Amino acid sequence: GEDVEQSLFLSVREGDSSVINCTYTDSSSTYLYWYKQEPGAGLQLLTYIFSNMDMKQDQRLTVLLNKKDKHLSLRIADTQTGDSAIYFCAESYGGATNKLIFGTGTLLAVQP
Amino acid sequence: DSGVTQTPKHLITATGQRVTLRCSPRSGDLSVYWYQQSLDQGLQFLIQYYNGEERAKGNILERFSAQQFPDLHSELNLSSLELGDSALYFCASSASLDSLDRFFGPGTRLTVL
């Protein structure tokens, strides 16, 4: 199947770390992605990880990939109110980078 | 601003009608993707065009069709509209066929009454 699943909602306090989780199904996915969608806007690519990596860090963002369990997570350090948005993970289905399967999205609410 | 433009921003129409959504990719991008975002289906890939040719197809209904023109803008045609077609339709563009980075437009919100 092509299901990519995420928890629906996460609430954190400003300054705390946020961890958004995702499970995917296609073991042949070459790349896995995290996108951010702010209210009324399109999706913005935050980061991606190649399937042969376990971890990728980019400033406040850390992506962890557990390929055995098909589990992907996004950690946002020092979460700010501006990080409030919906976060989507996506996998490149069938190894093809042009066909992305998106998760259900996690709404991150950051409380001041 | 991603550089991808979509028109119209909002569209309200009736069941059975036909509409056309338009997308202009970022300058220089050859690949255009269409996605549908709805509450029950989430974000679904519909179709990809590259330099005027269809390259990948997702969950696109037969009532829907798309094309990419020589100037690289793209149109998504939705016909025999049903209530369930109400959704946000996003266009995205990328420089090449398999670019990792994809730039999304602001979307067209379609409401079918």
Side-chain angles (χ1 to χ4, degrees), chain A residues 29-93:
Chain A
S29 290
T30 314
Y31 291 92
L32 294 125
Y33 309 79
W34 284 103
Y35 280 83
K36 177 183 180 182
Q37 185 180 27
E38 294 181 359
L43 277 73
Q44 175 196 355
L45 178 65
L46 283 179
T47 186
Y48 61 87
I49 187 167
F50 189 49
S51 58
N52 69 355
M53 295 169 64
D54 297 326
M55 184 181 94
K56 180 178 179 181
Q57 187 149 4
D58 185 359
Q59 300 182 330
R60 291 190 300 121
L61 305 179
T62 303
V63 178
L64 294 178
L65 175 61
N66 181 330
K67 208 172 172 185
K68 176 174 160 288
D69 295 337
K70 298 193 189 75
H71 183 263
L72 182 73
S73 68
L74 174 70
R75 179 176 180 270
I76 306 174
D78 187 24
T79 314
Q80 304 296 305
T81 53
D83 294 325
S84 293
I86 301 176
Y87 290 80
F88 291 92
C89 65
E91 62 172 343
S92 53
Y93 183 69

Side-chain angles (χ1 to χ4, degrees), chain B residues 79-91:
Chain B
S79 60
S80 303
L81 284 167
E82 300 175 1
L83 295 177
D85 298 328
S86 296
L88 257 175
Y89 290 85
F90 286 107
C91 165

Side-chain angles (χ1 to χ4, degrees), chain B residues 33-50:
Chain B
Y33 310 78
W34 285 98
Y35 292 86
Q36 179 196 58
Q37 186 178 36
S38 62
L39 279 175
D40 55 343
Q41 298 282 333
L43 191 61
Q44 302 262 331
F45 166 68
L46 295 178
I47 198 162
Q48 178 199 13
Y49 277 81
Y50 176 77

Side-chain angles (χ1 to χ4, degrees), chain B residues 18-88:
Chain B
R18 174 190 168 93
V19 296
T20 297
L21 313 184
R22 184 189 166 103
C23 168
S24 292
R26 284 190 328 152
S27 176
D29 283 358
L30 297 177
S31 198
V32 169
Y33 310 78
W34 285 98
Y35 292 86
Q36 179 196 58
Q37 186 178 36
S38 62
L39 279 175
D40 55 343
Q41 298 282 333
L43 191 61
Q44 302 262 331
F45 166 68
L46 295 178
I47 198 162
Q48 178 199 13
Y49 277 81
Y50 176 77
N51 206 20
E53 291 187 10
E54 181 188 306
R55 294 309 297 254
K57 227 168 179 174
N59 301 322
I60 187 165
L61 300 172
E62 283 191 15
R63 299 184 285 109
F64 296 0
S65 64
Q67 52 185 327
Q68 186 178 28
F69 294 87
D71 67 353
L72 301 176
H73 91 271
S74 178
E75 291 181 355
L76 180 67
N77 302 296
L78 315 176
S79 60
S80 303
L81 284 167
E82 300 175 1
L83 295 177
D85 298 328
S86 296
L88 257 175

